[in-house]
Amino acid sequence: MYQLKLKLVYLKYDIKYFLKNLTYYRKLRLHKAKKTGVLYFVFEPNASHPGLADRMKAIIKLYNSAKKNGLNFKVYFKTPFDINDYWQLHKKNTLNLNELEYSAYDTLIINECNWHNIPVMSKKKQYHCYNYAGNDMPYKFSDTGYKWHELFKELFVPSEQLLDAYKQLGIKDNNYISVQLRFVNALEDFESVSCCNNALNGEDAKCRLIKKCKYGIQKIIDFNMGKTVYVFSDSERFLNSLHDMAVKIINYGKPGHTGNTDRENVLMRTFLDLQVMSNSKAIYRIRAKELYNGSCFALLASRMNNVRFIDVNLE
């Protein structure tokens, strides 16, 4: 029964992707492409997109495939914010939309998802990708041997704006560990999501969850005696509750979700969280039945700099 449901979900997305791609198939004209041997990945302007981790998973997976096939790779990422304000794409990997060609002879449209393999690509064609699932973030890609963090660093460098904000935090070394928790709506009305309907009813339930999570953090502190502990979360209420614990939090901007905002204070806080976590000795992700355990935010930070990643499951 589970496999049948999964197949129906995949079929739904296949139909969705096909219908969206029709918009671009209609643009095909009877002319040869000026550029071939390239894979263009476009985050459509004025469209809704998932969180940063899902988008990065798709980018790195497609870049891995482009390298595997000897293709150039370019990305358009300006919705709802410009990725270059925080992570700068190298110029050769930055796509301008006026570069896109729609040749009936040479342009092929592909999708990024984990239920279909990305096809073998030819240097005599150009490839466009507008649909993505962003489900895969392996330490190393089995088809190429390329490591995720190496591919990430080939594409991106921190922007001067991000580095300046990081310097303001005054972190002198990386002899610390990071702990991350994703509450979504368990404690506050954080965001409208379909993936995690976890709002708790009643103050008692919320207080119990806070107490349980603080107990989990204390166990991590005890296991890492002598190391500074930074805690990261999407819940301001939970972060404010840590005043009686020997931990540090990032005092910059406001926690938020990058999929639906262009607010600079939320975006900079997100990228600072990733920057700090990715420079730590280890990253712990706390999981519990009340939390959103499907979040890959902490795993993204781990993959960025090849940092040890540990899941801690609370009863």
Side-chain angles (χ1 to χ4, degrees), residues 24-274:
Y24 300 100
Y25 287 130
R26 293 190 186 104
K27 294 184 178 184
L28 296 179
R29 296 294 181 266
L30 296 174
H31 62 76
K32 299 289 288 182
K34 295 177 182 177
K35 291 184 180 179
T36 56
V38 61
L39 169 56
Y40 298 127
F41 185 21
V42 179
F43 291 104
E44 294 178 297
N46 305 315
S48 61
H49 292 279
L52 182 62
D54 290 342
R55 294 211 247 178
M56 293 309 302
K57 285 186 277 187
I59 289 173
I60 302 301
K61 181 178 177 181
L62 286 169
Y63 180 46
N64 175 71
S65 294
K67 286 195 68 170
K68 174 183 176 181
N69 290 278
L71 271 61
N72 294 319
F73 181 67
K74 289 195 169 190
V75 181
Y76 180 86
F77 188 151
K78 293 184 180 293
T79 300
F81 61 92
D82 188 342
I83 190 66
N84 292 286
D85 290 338
Y86 307 96
W87 291 338
Q88 287 188 318
L89 273 163
H90 292 292
K91 188 174 181 180
K92 67 178 182 178
N93 301 115
T94 301
L95 172 63
N96 198 313
L97 290 182
N98 61 20
E99 295 180 63
L100 295 173
E101 301 176 84
Y102 296 93
S103 165
Y105 303 109
D106 301 317
T107 300
L108 297 174
I109 299 175
I110 64 171
N111 303 316
E112 185 281 319
C113 58
N114 65 343
W115 57 92
H116 295 302
N117 292 326
I118 295 175
V120 175
M121 292 180 279
S122 168
K123 293 181 181 180
K124 296 180 179 180
K125 302 291 183 182
Q126 65 167 234
Y127 298 83
H128 297 196
C129 180
Y130 303 96
N131 293 299
Y132 62 99
N135 289 327
D136 300 320
M137 192 163 22
Y139 163 72
K140 181 169 66 176
F141 287 95
S142 60
D143 59 338
T144 62
Y146 295 137
K147 296 176 181 177
W148 204 97
H149 71 279
E150 293 173 344
L151 296 178
F152 174 80
K153 290 181 178 181
E154 287 179 14
L155 287 176
F156 295 99
V157 294
S159 70
E160 288 298 321
Q161 177 181 319
L162 177 60
L163 291 176
D164 287 345
Y166 179 74
K167 289 176 184 176
Q168 292 177 31
L169 299 178
I171 299 174
K172 302 300 183 184
D173 57 52
N174 67 341
N175 190 32
Y176 61 87
I177 62 168
S178 298
V179 180
Q180 193 256 357
L181 310 91
R182 183 86 155 88
F183 286 87
V184 188
N185 297 318
L187 301 179
E188 300 130 304
D189 186 14
F190 181 72
E191 62 176 318
S192 298
V193 291
S194 58
C195 59
C196 184
N197 182 21
N198 70 331
L200 294 177
N201 295 318
E203 187 63 20
D204 288 346
K206 294 179 180 181
C207 289
R208 284 195 299 270
L209 177 59
I210 291 173
K211 184 177 180 180
K212 178 166 75 171
C213 291
K214 290 176 71 172
Y215 173 75
I217 292 173
Q218 187 60 52
K219 288 177 66 177
I220 294 170
I221 293 172
D222 294 341
F223 186 74
N224 291 274
M225 295 296 291
K227 285 190 172 62
T228 301
V229 176
Y230 280 88
V231 178
F232 303 85
S233 176
D234 56 349
S235 169
E236 287 191 287
R237 176 174 178 177
F238 181 73
L239 292 174
N240 291 336
S241 78
L242 301 176
H243 60 85
D244 57 349
M245 297 190 72
V247 299
K248 293 186 177 184
I249 61 173
I250 299 301
N251 186 21
Y252 193 111
K254 181 180 175 65
H257 194 270
T258 62
N260 50 24
T261 187
D262 59 359
R263 292 163 55 193
E264 197 278 337
N265 65 332
V266 170
L267 294 169
M268 184 57 78
R269 172 62 177 269
T270 298
F271 284 91
L272 277 176
D273 282 357
L274 287 168

Side-chain angles (χ1 to χ4, degrees), residues 180 285-289 291 293-295 311-315:
Q180 193 256 357
R285 178 175 63 181
I286 290 183
R287 296 158 58 92
K289 62 183 180 181
L291 302 179
N293 297 320
S295 171
D311 269 330
V312 175
N313 296 302
L314 304 180
E315 294 296 330

